[in-house]
Amino acid sequence: MPAPVTQNVNESLATLSDQLILVTVLLYLAAMICYALDLAFGRARTVVAARRRELVGAGGPALPEDATGDTAEASGPQPAAWAVRAGTVGVVLTWIGWAANLGGILTRGFAVDRWPWANMYEFVVAICFAAVTAFLVLLIRQPIRFLGAFVTVTAALGLGFAVLFLHVQAGPVTPALHSYWIAIHVTAAIVASGLFIVAGVSAILYLIRKDGRASVLPGKESLERVAHRAIVTAFPIWTFAVIAGALWADRAWGRYWGWDPKEVWSFITWIVYAAYLHARATAGWRGKAAMIISLVAFACLMFNLVGVNIFFSGLHSYADVPK
Amino acid sequence: MSAPDDLASAVRDETVATDQVTQERTRPAGLGPVGWLRWAWRTLTSMRTALILLFLFALGSVPGSIYPQRGVDPAQVAQYFKNNPTQAEWLDRFWLFDVFSSPWFAAIYLLLFLSLAGCVFPRVLVHAKEIRRKPPAAPRNLLRLPHGEAFESGLTLEQAAAALKRRRFRVVTGDGWVAAEKGYLRETGNLLFHFALLGLLFAVGAGGLYGYRGNVLVVEGDGFSNAVAAYDRFMPGSRVTAESLEPFSFTLKDFQASYVAAGDRQGQPLDYLAKLTVQDSPTAPPREVDLKVNEPLDVDGTLTYLIGHGYAPTFRVTDGKGQVAYEGPVPCLADDQATYTSECVIKVPDAQPTQLGFLVRFLPTTVPSGDAWVSVFPGAANPTVQIFPFAGDLGLKSGQPQSVYQLDTTNLKPLGAMSAQPTPLNVGETKELADGAGKIQFTGVKEWISLQITYDPGREPALLAAAAAVIGLVLSLTVRRRRLWVRVKDGTVTVGGLTRTEGGGAAFAEEFAQIVTALRGGPPAGGPDDGAAERPPAGKPQIGKPQAGEPGTPEPSEPEGSGSAGHVLSDAPTGNAAPGGRPDEE
Ligand code: HEM
């Protein structure tokens, strides 16, 4: 017989979470402006084709083109000191925004006493957080500050979209989501998506960037390398996320794979990213073609995230999109 | 231009496979059947074909998410046929309601996996040879390598070899040089990954052949025993026989659902619990099992899942002759998940003098709303039924299969005046039927659960294969293949190295610097991370070179060598040598 139960939601924490997310959006936007100033008034780079390495002409082995067609980046005139400082302020603001984002996620989790990524709103917030985290972590070791403006604006837009169109009140979730698998499967999907976002941003910049022209962006090769590195890191995580999803489906629905729309699109995303990795090893597909494939894969990822929840009905209809 | 040939041999690999393939590719057509077969095989197993097949695989899956699929939701497919009959027929001609079991989809993945097999088996042979091969001899001028450094030291060849061995390099010593190589696990991982995909395909296939899946609906108090006849829907693999079903049985003692009682999300389900008494075999002692979502019942690999629930109000129908013509529960389907307002059908073929049929609306938590009644909550806090009685011919003799959830009213006439909102009955109340046709009593409320029972012998092999795939993937994406040489001559030690993995330059630069430090036997001149990525200009070893690319210290474009000025990221010139022989690798 049914036994009505009340699930307590800590309303003040839930409100705090909503406020923190708003603060995050503002901080990311402010950071974006700082990065943009750095880009606009900082150093411009020109990519000049460096001289080919001699060994090629001498009947050496066929080296991949990026080893032979070396490029060097010549720097423009001394950048304005304040512009460089603006970039530094951008990084600091991003870190503060990151902390606010984290706080927003944690308070939401504590408010409802469960993993805070069980509906579309929470999921999108977490993915934006993951993208900024991926950027900040990569920034520790690599000079990719130029990506800052693009990553923060993407995250701010994503969060804004979540707040405006996807927001639902903090609350309990359906029984199918009561599982430790949500911690494993969804977390992996979020981490991978965050990295894929960084890769996607770099790939778009790659296609925009023209060779041999002065630009505030680094050379195509650097952009390509950032994208590749992010994808290579994200791909095994995504693979794991899909497998963990299958394990969960096996527990919850009685089959590990059933071609539910969400499963179909995770699979498509996976296959297209695999195609990207293959393209990089195939003559005639390196460079631009491979980057375009990675963007197709990224589009599939985004469609799976947003489109599938909205257009298709399936077992994965927990998205809880506000009507 | 000191030693191009040396360099070439330093980065070059077994090129046998590649050469062979290139020849095959460029050979003119018109070779006769064997030549054509070979050409077809080469084409099928080339990277470009693999790439195209991967795209087709992805593209082919798309309609499977757009159109309802029979294997996923047959009811929706039936609905599609009803709504757009002609379109549905055309879609069906192209198997678009069965995409994932269609011949054209099978053709794509079989070709892909054939290509995969044809691609990786030869690579296993190449790799097996590669693993046993010694690192190649040192090129003459190590400083021309992407990473190179020279220093004065009393280091002996033996010491250098030992230091490299300690770092788990494979080492050979020659006349005045040591060659070392590491990172064979990359290709091993890649092969493991691709083989694991083949394994996964076989596991999934075997599961489909030797496994089965079925659905059944069980009302509280009733039982189920695992036999083909007991299922409402049974989908066996082609190798499943009736005897191979695990002979377990169970009774559903009780089902409980809990919902959010108040607030914004009132009525949202919180938890489901089905209490079962299970017998693993006809002779086994009974055991109590709590069945929940995410916690299936496991009997020796046959799994029972709780996938749905609903109400089954119970009725007693007494016909016009005063005989009890029906007594028991009637499973109802929920119209609305938020309130569990449900529709049920009672068919009483044994009623005299005419057959009786009832449409019933079940309201779990009834409240009046104007001159109607509605349910406001999915839990059964105030259950009532609204009954619409019919008399006549139920049409059961026509031989047409009928749904138990639908009443065919063609030969039935309503009993008494039909109202859209008949007065609801509470538990225990009776409705007298018009025209002396009898009466119907609402005797109680039970619940039903729907279960999915699956047996899939491919589950565990598939999991193993998937785990192997992840391990292989991580190895092949993180391990870098790298070579390193040390030459000792007249107290001068020259070290050169390269990574044969694209994009591995930055990390290798660090490792290279560490190795050089270790060989020197002292701390590096300018700090641990000091310009490690930079290669000193050829022939002019430089120690403690200032780091390039610092903001505020604009670098002129590098005069010679590395070409990575201004951007430490640029690890391009790290000697990305051609990897092992593969059809259209460059
Ligand atoms: C189901 C189909 C396939 C999938 C999902 C797949 C997936 C992948 C992935 C994810 C990688 C990158 C990881 C790594 O470097 O190990 C890879 C690499 C590779 N695959 Fe596949 N693959 C498939 C079929 C094939 C086929 C048919 C071929 C041969 C024609 C092939 C040849 C290769 C090669 C040569 C590499 C190494 C590329 C490199 O050196 O970067 N794969 N594959």
Side-chain angles (χ1 to χ4, degrees):
Chain A
M1 281 291 98
V5 172
T6 343
Q7 170 117 354
N8 288 322
V9 174
N10 186 327
E11 295 296 345
S12 55
L13 270 181
T15 312
L16 176 62
S17 166
D18 291 350
Q19 288 163 346
L20 278 171
I21 296 301
L22 286 178
V23 170
T24 309
V25 174
L26 296 178
L27 283 166
Y28 285 166
L29 285 175
M32 188 269 288
I33 293 169
C34 293
Y35 288 125
L37 288 175
D38 183 18
L39 281 182
F41 300 101
R43 175 181 51 176
R45 303 173 176 90
T46 323
V47 173
V48 290
R51 115 215 102 73
R52 312 201 102 213
R53 307 188 98 202
E54 287 141 62
L55 70 100
V56 176
L63 291 171
E65 64 210 75
D66 52 348
T68 54
D70 258 352
T71 58
E73 282 158 19
S75 311
Q78 187 87 359
W82 65 267
V84 175
R85 215 169 304 130
T88 312
V89 172
V91 174
V92 172
L93 285 175
T94 315
W95 274 108
I96 303 174
W98 178 86
N101 201 342
L102 178 65
I105 292 172
L106 290 179
T107 45
R108 180 116 175 162
F110 288 127
V112 289
D113 196 21
R114 60 169 170 76
W115 288 86
W117 34 74
N119 55 45
M120 268 279 266
Y121 167 74
E122 293 169 354
F123 194 63
V124 172
V125 168
I127 285 182
C128 294
F129 174 73
V132 174
T133 311
F135 165 69
L136 287 172
V137 169
L138 292 177
L139 186 63
I140 293 174
R141 304 213 46 200
Q142 299 171 34
I144 54 163
R145 187 182 285 181
F146 65 89
L147 274 181
F150 306 97
V151 172
T152 46
V153 76
T154 308
L157 286 176
L159 289 174
F161 176 74
V163 168
L164 289 179
F165 300 109
L166 303 174
H167 185 264
V168 288
Q169 289 303 324
V173 293
T174 59
L177 291 177
H178 296 311
S179 171
Y180 55 88
W181 281 111
I182 192 170
I184 302 169
H185 163 63
V186 185
T187 310
I190 288 170
V191 172
S193 304
L195 282 159
F196 281 139
I197 288 177
V198 173
V201 168
S202 312
I204 293 169
L205 294 179
Y206 175 95
L207 293 185
I208 295 171
R209 181 81 162 97
K210 297 271 182 301
D211 262 333
R213 280 215 213 137
S215 164
V216 296
L217 296 173
K220 286 184 111 122
E221 268 154 39
S222 303
L223 291 166
E224 210 268 330
R225 210 166 298 116
V226 173
H228 180 243
R229 208 166 287 178
I231 292 174
V232 158
T233 314
F235 188 76
I237 303 175
W238 180 254
T239 310
F240 174 77
V242 173
I243 293 171
L247 282 162
W248 187 3
D250 186 54
R251 294 296 288 171
W253 299 325
R255 81 287 184 297
Y256 54 84
W257 197 265
W259 298 111
D260 180 77
K262 201 91 180 176
E263 292 170 352
V264 172
W265 280 92
S266 310
F267 172 76
I268 293 174
T269 306
W270 188 76
I271 288 286
V272 182
Y273 272 117
Y276 160 78
L277 291 173
H278 279 200
R280 277 184 51 99
T282 309
W285 285 79
R286 287 207 188 87
K288 192 168 173 194
M291 278 288 105
I292 289 173
I293 297 175
S294 87
L295 280 176
V296 172
F298 184 62
C300 294
L301 181 80
M302 287 295 121
F303 182 74
N304 195 18
L305 170 60
V306 182
V308 171
N309 290 339
I310 293 169
F311 298 123
F312 301 135
S313 73
L315 288 168
H316 275 87
S317 34
Y318 311 125
D320 204 3
V321 184
K323 280 149 206 116
Chain B
M1 290 266 156
S2 51
D5 290 339
D6 268 344
L7 264 188
S9 73
V11 293
R12 183 154 43 200
D13 269 317
E14 290 295 301
T15 44
V16 196
T18 326
D19 292 347
Q20 195 187 344
V21 172
T22 353
Q23 279 168 20
E24 209 65 56
R25 273 292 190 70
T26 48
R27 200 177 282 172
L31 290 168
V34 179
W36 275 107
L37 270 179
R38 294 184 67 139
W39 173 84
W41 181 246
R42 295 287 176 213
T43 309
L44 180 65
T45 56
S46 77
M47 282 295 267
R48 185 163 293 133
T49 310
L51 198 54
I52 289 166
L53 287 171
L54 278 170
F55 273 121
L56 284 178
F57 202 18
L59 206 63
S61 320
V62 175
S65 71
I66 296 174
Y67 301 110
Q69 298 294 299
R70 283 205 179 87
V72 179
D73 195 344
Q76 240 184 312
V77 178
Q79 192 62 40
Y80 204 104
F81 267 90
K82 221 185 227 167
N83 296 349
N84 317 297
T86 30
Q87 197 191 343
E89 214 161 279
W90 274 102
L91 292 175
D92 209 21
R93 241 162 251 176
F94 296 101
W95 292 276
L96 289 177
F97 297 115
D98 304 280
V99 167
F100 302 105
S101 51
S102 69
W104 58 262
F105 193 72
I108 296 173
Y109 70 74
L110 288 178
L111 274 178
L112 179 57
F113 278 87
L114 195 63
S115 165
L116 179 60
C119 178
V120 292
F121 278 106
R123 276 171 61 200
V124 171
L125 300 181
V126 172
H127 187 54
K129 242 189 265 162
E130 178 100 326
I131 279 182
R132 275 179 275 121
R133 220 160 45 104
K134 293 195 176 107
R140 216 166 307 145
N141 188 349
L142 292 182
L143 292 174
R144 291 208 56 81
L145 290 172
H147 303 264
E149 201 156 328
F151 53 89
E152 309 287 318
S153 160
L155 188 79
T156 65
L157 275 184
E158 288 69 36
Q159 285 168 333
L164 288 168
K165 271 196 189 123
R166 234 175 293 125
R167 288 174 178 266
R168 314 206 10 222
F169 274 84
R170 174 173 304 180
V171 177
V172 284
T173 314
D175 180 22
W177 51 262
V178 173
E181 182 155 8
K182 194 174 168 176
Y184 298 85
L185 268 183
R186 178 188 181 83
E187 179 71 358
T188 311
N190 188 307
L191 292 171
L192 175 65
F193 169 77
H194 285 89
F195 272 104
L197 291 184
L198 281 174
L200 192 60
L201 180 73
F202 282 115
V204 172
L209 284 180
Y210 291 95
Y212 62 83
R213 191 147 65 95
N215 296 92
V216 62
L217 181 149
V218 181
V219 179
E220 279 174 324
D222 289 354
F224 167 84
S225 60
N226 192 24
V228 174
Y231 283 94
D232 298 332
R233 178 165 173 241
F234 186 66
M235 293 160 282
S238 58
R239 296 294 174 84
V240 174
T241 57
E243 298 82 61
S244 57
L245 270 63
E246 188 75 27
F248 69 98
S249 61
F250 57 79
T251 318
L252 174 61
K253 288 199 309 188
D254 188 23
F255 174 75
Q256 297 164 357
S258 48
Y259 304 94
V260 179
D264 242 15
R265 289 166 183 267
Q266 183 182 347
Q268 182 183 311
L270 283 172
D271 204 12
Y272 304 124
L273 169 65
K275 292 191 168 293
L276 305 181
T277 308
V278 181
Q279 266 189 295
D280 288 359
S281 73
T283 53
R287 61 184 172 115
E288 303 299 313
V289 172
D290 283 354
L291 185 65
K292 302 181 84 165
V293 180
N294 281 318
E295 290 170 32
L297 160 71
D298 185 348
V299 181
D300 217 10
T302 302
L303 294 155
T304 303
Y305 298 84
L306 176 61
I307 58 171
H309 72 107
Y311 287 103
T314 58
F315 296 94
R316 181 186 296 126
V317 179
T318 311
D319 66 14
K321 297 205 164 156
Q323 280 159 348
V324 175
Y326 182 91
E327 176 146 37
V330 178
C332 304
L333 296 183
D335 246 9
D336 172 15
Q337 295 291 323
T339 64
Y340 256 81
T341 303
S342 310
E343 306 278 344
C344 351
V345 166
I346 312 172
K347 295 179 190 177
V348 193
D350 298 336
Q352 301 283 345
T354 58
Q355 295 185 324
L356 296 175
F358 302 89
L359 289 175
V360 177
R361 186 184 295 139
F362 177 79
L363 306 168
T365 299
T366 318
V367 294
S369 152
D371 36 4
W373 286 268
V374 293
S375 174
V376 292
F377 189 70
N382 179 27
T384 65
V385 289
Q386 293 178 302
I387 294 178
F388 307 83
F390 294 84
D393 180 5
L394 291 170
L396 294 176
K397 293 208 188 76
S398 70
Q400 291 270 11
Q402 269 197 18
S403 162
V404 293
Y405 301 108
Q406 268 163 9
L407 193 64
D408 176 8
T409 53
T410 27
N411 296 316
L412 293 172
K413 68 173 179 35
L415 278 173
M418 266 295 160
S419 135
Q421 286 285 341
T423 313
L425 303 184
N426 290 309
V427 175
E429 290 181 344
T430 303
K431 181 184 179 99
E432 294 288 340
L433 302 178
D435 310 338
K439 59 187 178 179
I440 177 167
Q441 187 186 10
F442 175 31
T443 53
V445 179
K446 288 185 171 182
E447 285 177 86
W448 58 259
I449 56 174
S450 59
L451 299 167
Q452 170 156 304
I453 297 167
T454 50
Y455 171 66
D456 183 349
R459 288 164 73 234
E460 272 134 18
L463 178 59
L464 273 180
V470 173
I471 294 169
L473 194 58
V474 169
L475 285 178
S476 91
L477 291 176
T478 55
V479 174
R480 279 157 292 117
R481 185 84 178 269
R482 52 240 195 246
R483 285 181 181 164
L484 209 124
W485 294 269
V486 182
R487 213 184 257 290
V488 179
K489 200 178 173 198
D490 310 328
T492 303
V493 178
T494 333
V495 189
L498 54 83
T499 166
R500 301 171 55 211
T501 302
E502 223 188 321
F508 180 64
E510 221 165 89
E511 186 184 10
F512 184 79
Q514 281 170 8
I515 291 173
V516 169
T517 308
L519 291 178
R520 265 198 188 126
D529 256 346
D530 172 52
E534 305 310 314
R535 179 167 76 90
K540 219 191 318 146
Q542 207 179 332
I543 294 163
K545 194 181 174 214
Q547 194 157 342
E550 286 278 67
T553 50
E555 283 266 322
S557 60
E558 272 277 282
E560 229 191 316
S562 84
S564 60
H567 232 266
V568 186
L569 248 189
S570 318
D571 53 359
T574 47
N576 303 311
R582 240 162 276 129
D584 30 9
E585 285 274 5
E586 279 179 23

mmCIF file with all atom_site columns, all heavy atoms in Angstrom, chain B residues 198-212:
data_model
loop_
_atom_site.group_PDB
_atom_site.id
_atom_site.type_symbol
_atom_site.label_atom_id
_atom_site.label_alt_id
_atom_site.label_comp_id
_atom_site.label_asym_id
_atom_site.label_entity_id
_atom_site.label_seq_id
_atom_site.pdbx_PDB_ins_code
_atom_site.Cartn_x
_atom_site.Cartn_y
_atom_site.Cartn_z
_atom_site.occupancy
_atom_site.B_iso_or_equiv
_atom_site.pdbx_formal_charge
_atom_site.auth_seq_id
_atom_site.auth_comp_id
_atom_site.auth_asym_id
_atom_site.auth_atom_id
_atom_site.pdbx_PDB_model_num
ATOM 1   N N   . LEU B 1 198 ? 36.341 -6.572  -31.301 1.00 0.00 ? 198 LEU B N   1
ATOM 2   C CA  . LEU B 1 198 ? 35.886 -7.815  -31.936 1.00 0.00 ? 198 LEU B CA  1
ATOM 3   C C   . LEU B 1 198 ? 35.234 -8.719  -30.903 1.00 0.00 ? 198 LEU B C   1
ATOM 4   O O   . LEU B 1 198 ? 34.172 -9.300  -31.130 1.00 0.00 ? 198 LEU B O   1
ATOM 5   C CB  . LEU B 1 198 ? 37.072 -8.541  -32.578 1.00 0.00 ? 198 LEU B CB  1
ATOM 6   C CG  . LEU B 1 198 ? 37.553 -8.015  -33.927 1.00 0.00 ? 198 LEU B CG  1
ATOM 7   C CD1 . LEU B 1 198 ? 38.815 -8.754  -34.360 1.00 0.00 ? 198 LEU B CD1 1
ATOM 8   C CD2 . LEU B 1 198 ? 36.472 -8.185  -34.984 1.00 0.00 ? 198 LEU B CD2 1
ATOM 9   N N   . GLY B 1 199 ? 35.883 -8.833  -29.727 1.00 0.00 ? 199 GLY B N   1
ATOM 10  C CA  . GLY B 1 199 ? 35.341 -9.661  -28.651 1.00 0.00 ? 199 GLY B CA  1
ATOM 11  C C   . GLY B 1 199 ? 33.966 -9.174  -28.234 1.00 0.00 ? 199 GLY B C   1
ATOM 12  O O   . GLY B 1 199 ? 33.046 -9.982  -28.014 1.00 0.00 ? 199 GLY B O   1
ATOM 13  N N   . LEU B 1 200 ? 33.827 -7.858  -28.152 1.00 0.00 ? 200 LEU B N   1
ATOM 14  C CA  . LEU B 1 200 ? 32.545 -7.280  -27.752 1.00 0.00 ? 200 LEU B CA  1
ATOM 15  C C   . LEU B 1 200 ? 31.455 -7.669  -28.752 1.00 0.00 ? 200 LEU B C   1
ATOM 16  O O   . LEU B 1 200 ? 30.346 -8.055  -28.359 1.00 0.00 ? 200 LEU B O   1
ATOM 17  C CB  . LEU B 1 200 ? 32.690 -5.758  -27.693 1.00 0.00 ? 200 LEU B CB  1
ATOM 18  C CG  . LEU B 1 200 ? 31.580 -4.964  -27.049 1.00 0.00 ? 200 LEU B CG  1
ATOM 19  C CD1 . LEU B 1 200 ? 31.409 -5.384  -25.607 1.00 0.00 ? 200 LEU B CD1 1
ATOM 20  C CD2 . LEU B 1 200 ? 31.894 -3.476  -27.107 1.00 0.00 ? 200 LEU B CD2 1
ATOM 21  N N   . LEU B 1 201 ? 31.788 -7.597  -30.035 1.00 0.00 ? 201 LEU B N   1
ATOM 22  C CA  . LEU B 1 201 ? 30.808 -7.965  -31.059 1.00 0.00 ? 201 LEU B CA  1
ATOM 23  C C   . LEU B 1 201 ? 30.367 -9.411  -30.872 1.00 0.00 ? 201 LEU B C   1
ATOM 24  O O   . LEU B 1 201 ? 29.175 -9.727  -30.919 1.00 0.00 ? 201 LEU B O   1
ATOM 25  C CB  . LEU B 1 201 ? 31.427 -7.770  -32.444 1.00 0.00 ? 201 LEU B CB  1
ATOM 26  C CG  . LEU B 1 201 ? 30.484 -8.119  -33.604 1.00 0.00 ? 201 LEU B CG  1
ATOM 27  C CD1 . LEU B 1 201 ? 29.432 -7.042  -33.736 1.00 0.00 ? 201 LEU B CD1 1
ATOM 28  C CD2 . LEU B 1 201 ? 31.243 -8.263  -34.908 1.00 0.00 ? 201 LEU B CD2 1
ATOM 29  N N   . PHE B 1 202 ? 31.330 -10.304 -30.622 1.00 0.00 ? 202 PHE B N   1
ATOM 30  C CA  . PHE B 1 202 ? 30.979 -11.714 -30.450 1.00 0.00 ? 202 PHE B CA  1
ATOM 31  C C   . PHE B 1 202 ? 30.132 -11.917 -29.199 1.00 0.00 ? 202 PHE B C   1
ATOM 32  O O   . PHE B 1 202 ? 29.174 -12.691 -29.203 1.00 0.00 ? 202 PHE B O   1
ATOM 33  C CB  . PHE B 1 202 ? 32.239 -12.577 -30.398 1.00 0.00 ? 202 PHE B CB  1
ATOM 34  C CG  . PHE B 1 202 ? 32.820 -12.825 -31.750 1.00 0.00 ? 202 PHE B CG  1
ATOM 35  C CD1 . PHE B 1 202 ? 34.066 -12.339 -32.101 1.00 0.00 ? 202 PHE B CD1 1
ATOM 36  C CD2 . PHE B 1 202 ? 32.095 -13.527 -32.707 1.00 0.00 ? 202 PHE B CD2 1
ATOM 37  C CE1 . PHE B 1 202 ? 34.598 -12.543 -33.360 1.00 0.00 ? 202 PHE B CE1 1
ATOM 38  C CE2 . PHE B 1 202 ? 32.605 -13.737 -33.974 1.00 0.00 ? 202 PHE B CE2 1
ATOM 39  C CZ  . PHE B 1 202 ? 33.863 -13.246 -34.301 1.00 0.00 ? 202 PHE B CZ  1
ATOM 40  N N   . ALA B 1 203 ? 30.494 -11.226 -28.124 1.00 0.00 ? 203 ALA B N   1
ATOM 41  C CA  . ALA B 1 203 ? 29.737 -11.389 -26.871 1.00 0.00 ? 203 ALA B CA  1
ATOM 42  C C   . ALA B 1 203 ? 28.299 -10.931 -27.057 1.00 0.00 ? 203 ALA B C   1
ATOM 43  O O   . ALA B 1 203 ? 27.356 -11.616 -26.631 1.00 0.00 ? 203 ALA B O   1
ATOM 44  C CB  . ALA B 1 203 ? 30.410 -10.603 -25.751 1.00 0.00 ? 203 ALA B CB  1
ATOM 45  N N   . VAL B 1 204 ? 28.140 -9.792  -27.725 1.00 0.00 ? 204 VAL B N   1
ATOM 46  C CA  . VAL B 1 204 ? 26.786 -9.284  -27.938 1.00 0.00 ? 204 VAL B CA  1
ATOM 47  C C   . VAL B 1 204 ? 26.005 -10.257 -28.817 1.00 0.00 ? 204 VAL B C   1
ATOM 48  O O   . VAL B 1 204 ? 24.848 -10.585 -28.539 1.00 0.00 ? 204 VAL B O   1
ATOM 49  C CB  . VAL B 1 204 ? 26.838 -7.875  -28.563 1.00 0.00 ? 204 VAL B CB  1
ATOM 50  C CG1 . VAL B 1 204 ? 25.459 -7.420  -28.977 1.00 0.00 ? 204 VAL B CG1 1
ATOM 51  C CG2 . VAL B 1 204 ? 27.443 -6.889  -27.587 1.00 0.00 ? 204 VAL B CG2 1
ATOM 52  N N   . GLY B 1 205 ? 26.666 -10.754 -29.854 1.00 0.00 ? 205 GLY B N   1
ATOM 53  C CA  . GLY B 1 205 ? 26.009 -11.702 -30.750 1.00 0.00 ? 205 GLY B CA  1
ATOM 54  C C   . GLY B 1 205 ? 25.599 -12.973 -30.037 1.00 0.00 ? 205 GLY B C   1
ATOM 55  O O   . GLY B 1 205 ? 24.467 -13.446 -30.170 1.00 0.00 ? 205 GLY B O   1
ATOM 56  N N   . ALA B 1 206 ? 26.509 -13.515 -29.229 1.00 0.00 ? 206 ALA B N   1
ATOM 57  C CA  . ALA B 1 206 ? 26.211 -14.752 -28.506 1.00 0.00 ? 206 ALA B CA  1
ATOM 58  C C   . ALA B 1 206 ? 25.056 -14.526 -27.535 1.00 0.00 ? 206 ALA B C   1
ATOM 59  O O   . ALA B 1 206 ? 24.159 -15.374 -27.405 1.00 0.00 ? 206 ALA B O   1
ATOM 60  C CB  . ALA B 1 206 ? 27.444 -15.227 -27.743 1.00 0.00 ? 206 ALA B CB  1
ATOM 61  N N   . GLY B 1 207 ? 25.062 -13.372 -26.878 1.00 0.00 ? 207 GLY B N   1
ATOM 62  C CA  . GLY B 1 207 ? 23.972 -13.060 -25.955 1.00 0.00 ? 207 GLY B CA  1
ATOM 63  C C   . GLY B 1 207 ? 22.631 -13.060 -26.671 1.00 0.00 ? 207 GLY B C   1
ATOM 64  O O   . GLY B 1 207 ? 21.630 -13.545 -26.154 1.00 0.00 ? 207 GLY B O   1
ATOM 65  N N   . GLY B 1 208 ? 22.623 -12.534 -27.888 1.00 0.00 ? 208 GLY B N   1
ATOM 66  C CA  . GLY B 1 208 ? 21.389 -12.492 -28.657 1.00 0.00 ? 208 GLY B CA  1
ATOM 67  C C   . GLY B 1 208 ? 20.908 -13.877 -29.070 1.00 0.00 ? 208 GLY B C   1
ATOM 68  O O   . GLY B 1 208 ? 19.713 -14.145 -29.114 1.00 0.00 ? 208 GLY B O   1
ATOM 69  N N   . LEU B 1 209 ? 21.845 -14.778 -29.345 1.00 0.00 ? 209 LEU B N   1
ATOM 70  C CA  . LEU B 1 209 ? 21.461 -16.116 -29.793 1.00 0.00 ? 209 LEU B CA  1
ATOM 71  C C   . LEU B 1 209 ? 21.011 -17.001 -28.638 1.00 0.00 ? 209 LEU B C   1
ATOM 72  O O   . LEU B 1 209 ? 20.049 -17.750 -28.750 1.00 0.00 ? 209 LEU B O   1
ATOM 73  C CB  . LEU B 1 209 ? 22.650 -16.798 -30.482 1.00 0.00 ? 209 LEU B CB  1
ATOM 74  C CG  . LEU B 1 209 ? 22.991 -16.366 -31.890 1.00 0.00 ? 209 LEU B CG  1
ATOM 75  C CD1 . LEU B 1 209 ? 24.184 -17.154 -32.387 1.00 0.00 ? 209 LEU B CD1 1
ATOM 76  C CD2 . LEU B 1 209 ? 21.795 -16.588 -32.801 1.00 0.00 ? 209 LEU B CD2 1
ATOM 77  N N   . TYR B 1 210 ? 21.745 -16.933 -27.539 1.00 0.00 ? 210 TYR B N   1
ATOM 78  C CA  . TYR B 1 210 ? 21.513 -17.900 -26.460 1.00 0.00 ? 210 TYR B CA  1
ATOM 79  C C   . TYR B 1 210 ? 20.715 -17.300 -25.300 1.00 0.00 ? 210 TYR B C   1
ATOM 80  O O   . TYR B 1 210 ? 20.481 -17.970 -24.306 1.00 0.00 ? 210 TYR B O   1
ATOM 81  C CB  . TYR B 1 210 ? 22.844 -18.442 -25.944 1.00 0.00 ? 210 TYR B CB  1
ATOM 82  C CG  . TYR B 1 210 ? 23.539 -19.315 -26.957 1.00 0.00 ? 210 TYR B CG  1
ATOM 83  C CD1 . TYR B 1 210 ? 24.502 -18.795 -27.813 1.00 0.00 ? 210 TYR B CD1 1
ATOM 84  C CD2 . TYR B 1 210 ? 23.209 -20.667 -27.075 1.00 0.00 ? 210 TYR B CD2 1
ATOM 85  C CE1 . TYR B 1 210 ? 25.125 -19.579 -28.762 1.00 0.00 ? 210 TYR B CE1 1
ATOM 86  C CE2 . TYR B 1 210 ? 23.820 -21.468 -28.021 1.00 0.00 ? 210 TYR B CE2 1
ATOM 87  C CZ  . TYR B 1 210 ? 24.782 -20.916 -28.866 1.00 0.00 ? 210 TYR B CZ  1
ATOM 88  O OH  . TYR B 1 210 ? 25.383 -21.705 -29.803 1.00 0.00 ? 210 TYR B OH  1
ATOM 89  N N   . GLY B 1 211 ? 20.345 -16.021 -25.407 1.00 0.00 ? 211 GLY B N   1
ATOM 90  C CA  . GLY B 1 211 ? 19.625 -15.400 -24.304 1.00 0.00 ? 211 GLY B CA  1
ATOM 91  C C   . GLY B 1 211 ? 18.156 -15.206 -24.638 1.00 0.00 ? 211 GLY B C   1
ATOM 92  O O   . GLY B 1 211 ? 17.723 -15.427 -25.765 1.00 0.00 ? 211 GLY B O   1
ATOM 93  N N   . TYR B 1 212 ? 17.404 -14.789 -23.661 1.00 0.00 ? 212 TYR B N   1
ATOM 94  C CA  . TYR B 1 212 ? 16.002 -14.469 -23.904 1.00 0.00 ? 212 TYR B CA  1
ATOM 95  C C   . TYR B 1 212 ? 15.578 -13.325 -23.019 1.00 0.00 ? 212 TYR B C   1
ATOM 96  O O   . TYR B 1 212 ? 16.261 -12.966 -22.064 1.00 0.00 ? 212 TYR B O   1
ATOM 97  C CB  . TYR B 1 212 ? 15.098 -15.685 -23.679 1.00 0.00 ? 212 TYR B CB  1
ATOM 98  C CG  . TYR B 1 212 ? 15.116 -16.231 -22.268 1.00 0.00 ? 212 TYR B CG  1
ATOM 99  C CD1 . TYR B 1 212 ? 14.311 -15.665 -21.267 1.00 0.00 ? 212 TYR B CD1 1
ATOM 100 C CD2 . TYR B 1 212 ? 15.920 -17.315 -21.930 1.00 0.00 ? 212 TYR B CD2 1
ATOM 101 C CE1 . TYR B 1 212 ? 14.326 -16.159 -19.979 1.00 0.00 ? 212 TYR B CE1 1
ATOM 102 C CE2 . TYR B 1 212 ? 15.934 -17.817 -20.647 1.00 0.00 ? 212 TYR B CE2 1
ATOM 103 C CZ  . TYR B 1 212 ? 15.145 -17.231 -19.665 1.00 0.00 ? 212 TYR B CZ  1
ATOM 104 O OH  . TYR B 1 212 ? 15.165 -17.716 -18.398 1.00 0.00 ? 212 TYR B OH  1
#
